[in-house]
Amino acid sequence: MITSTSDPNTVEPDYDRLSEIKAFDESKAGVKGLVDAGISKIPRMFIEPPDIHGKGSSFDGRIPTLDLDGIDRDATRRKRVSNEIKDVSERWGFFQVVNHGIPLSILDEMLNGARRFFEQDNEEKKVFYTRDPSKPVTYYSNYHLYTSPAANWRDSLSCLMAPIPPGSEKLPAPCRDIMMKYSDQVICLGYTLFELLSEALGLHKNHLRDMGCADGLSTVCHYYPKCPEPELTMGTTKHADFDFLTILLQDQTGGLQILHGEQWVDVPPIPGALLVNVGDLLQLISNDEFKSIEHRVLANNKAPRVSVACFFFLHSSTKLYGPIKELVSQENPPKYRETTVKDFLQHFKLKGLDGSSKLSHPRL
């Protein structure tokens, strides 16, 4: 049975957190199952420390938005956009892109497909529930359920879509066709962004792709149910992405914030736009020229939130990655030791979402 309490300071000497987590996990119903059961107080395993929300958003501005229109036809415009990407990747680590080439109809259908999966009968979706990372399609609640200090108010569906996508019959029927179509389009957009990022670093446009940064893609759909006590938990705890690059599609619910300086900044959804952010591995190989920035998602009691995050990394890669040699010098020596994606991911799994940087592990 899952214990509930609305007071994070309540002392319960007989509280067994591991048993509560196991009961939740074995139900295979996720956070949405708790909401469907009509709970009015969240289980203790989800309760964060009282100061988790920290300082509120107070930055007067918006995440930079870049227009990709014409970059393949106009060399001058391409150079301007590359310079803009350099600037925002150094200062923000996040930027929105418009005129990215993916039709609005596909974006909308991807969000609808994800929503259909999570809102179908639990008996249908729980056949995909697993914590086995070797499976190409996994439905779960909280990747770091057993290692993070507090569970997040979120369920997820993860599909490994590159380099070898699963057969369509292995994908959930509610989002099968659109998952294939959307992931293909994101891969093409990713190629373009890696070219622009390479140029922004003063390298040949194919440099990052030739390094294998775009070889793997994991498409992860997130569902954040309405929360009866959003002030006590988080949709996603503060973290930075471990991959090379992330492309995020979000609905119009809102709740995403990034840490800019010492202030949390709201990232209001822009219809038709996609959010792009630098991952830890890109910060590592750029020798800190580009920044992987911490971000989080607030829980809310107004409406479910749906997002689709596409992570560029090859999870099984044993190739060594370190600062790109063209970017280091006697005046700017390497700041990181070489590591493999596989080892870096293993560290990420063991560490959990504890609010600390994963880059401290390979930092010299």
Side-chain angles (χ1 to χ4, degrees):
M1 183 172 129
I2 297 177
T3 305
S4 294
T5 174
S6 59
D7 184 356
N9 298 312
T10 298
V11 177
E12 298 178 37
D14 60 344
Y15 174 65
D16 185 344
R17 177 176 171 78
L18 182 58
S19 293
E20 184 178 46
I21 289 174
K22 284 183 176 179
F24 171 77
D25 198 24
E26 290 170 2
S27 75
K28 300 183 178 181
V31 175
K32 188 174 186 301
L34 298 176
V35 175
D36 290 345
I39 65 166
S40 59
K41 297 183 181 297
I42 67 172
R44 181 170 170 175
M45 58 182 276
F46 291 94
I47 296 178
E48 298 276 3
D51 61 348
I52 188 65
H53 289 85
K55 294 181 180 179
S57 175
S58 64
F59 183 80
D60 184 19
R62 285 179 174 265
I63 304 301
T65 299
L66 305 185
D67 188 345
L68 302 186
D69 185 46
I71 59 172
D72 292 327
R73 304 187 303 272
D74 185 331
T76 301
R77 172 151 183 73
R78 184 182 181 91
K79 179 63 175 175
R80 186 185 310 123
V81 172
S82 177
N83 288 339
E84 290 173 348
I85 284 184
K86 176 180 175 63
D87 179 62
V88 299
S89 297
E90 291 174 350
R91 294 191 303 112
W92 284 86
F94 273 79
F95 54 93
Q96 307 251 28
V97 291
V98 296
N99 291 317
H100 42 66
I102 303 180
L104 181 60
S105 59
I106 290 181
L107 302 182
D108 288 343
E109 178 56 19
M110 183 67 254
L111 289 172
N112 290 335
R115 190 181 299 275
R116 285 194 300 269
F117 172 81
F118 289 108
E119 294 184 352
Q120 68 180 321
D121 186 271
N122 192 58
E123 292 301 310
E124 297 292 329
K125 64 185 176 184
K126 76 177 185 180
V127 299
F128 294 97
Y129 196 95
T130 180
R131 295 199 173 273
D132 183 353
S134 68
K135 292 190 175 182
V137 179
T138 56
Y139 159 54
Y140 54 91
S141 186
N142 284 259
Y143 186 81
H144 300 99
L145 182 64
Y146 289 90
T147 56
S148 293
N152 289 165
W153 199 256
R154 180 188 73 249
D155 298 328
S156 304
L157 171 69
S158 177
C159 304
L160 298 176
M161 302 305 294
I164 303 174
S168 61
E169 74 282 355
K170 293 184 178 180
L171 294 169
C175 56
R176 177 178 298 155
D177 294 339
I178 190 60
M179 179 73 75
M180 300 287 287
K181 186 179 296 185
Y182 178 70
S183 296
D184 286 345
Q185 299 246 354
V186 167
I187 289 171
C188 292
L189 174 58
Y191 289 164
T192 297
L193 291 170
F194 278 117
E195 288 179 0
L196 291 168
L197 288 162
S198 295
E199 294 168 1
L201 290 168
L203 306 168
H204 185 276
K205 72 175 186 178
N206 292 330
H207 196 106
L208 293 176
R209 283 186 61 186
D210 289 344
M211 289 180 66
C213 298
D215 285 355
L217 182 76
S218 180
T219 299
V220 184
C221 305
H222 293 306
Y223 187 88
Y224 303 81
K226 289 199 301 183
C227 180
E229 297 179 298
E231 70 282 1
L232 297 183
T233 189
M234 295 292 294
T236 302
T237 308
K238 178 182 75 170
H239 70 289
D241 293 345
F242 69 88
D243 60 345
F244 291 103
L245 196 72
T246 305
I247 297 177
L248 179 75
L249 167 65
Q250 55 176 335
D251 67 10
Q252 298 301 301
T253 305
L256 176 64
Q257 296 181 326
I258 73 165
L259 190 60
H260 185 63
E262 296 183 356
Q263 295 292 341
W264 286 107
V265 181
D266 291 325
V267 184
I270 299 175
L274 291 167
L275 186 68
V276 180
N277 65 279
V278 172
D280 287 342
L281 287 169
L282 184 52
Q283 177 170 334
L284 185 152
I285 63 175
S286 72
N287 207 36
D288 280 353
E289 187 161 340
F290 293 161
K291 301 299 190 295
S292 176
I293 301 299
E294 291 177 320
H295 49 287
R296 67 185 187 181
V297 178
L298 302 179
N300 82 87
N301 60 4
K302 296 178 181 178
R305 178 180 185 267
V306 177
S307 68
V308 182
C310 291
F311 301 97
F312 281 91
F313 74 102
L314 186 58
H315 75 286
S316 60
S317 175
T318 56
K319 179 179 179 178
L320 283 171
Y321 285 97
I324 297 170
K325 60 182 180 63
E326 288 86 350
L327 303 181
V328 299
S329 64
Q330 188 172 357
E331 296 74 26
N332 184 36
K335 297 179 175 66
Y336 301 94
R337 61 176 175 81
E338 291 185 325
T339 187
T340 67
V341 174
K342 186 175 182 180
D343 288 347
F344 195 71
L345 181 57
Q346 182 62 26
H347 174 67
F348 170 67
K349 290 177 180 177
L350 293 174
K351 193 175 89 55
L353 295 182
D354 61 1
S356 64
S357 172
K358 297 173 289 297
L359 284 170
S360 60
H361 181 61
R363 189 177 288 278
L364 293 172

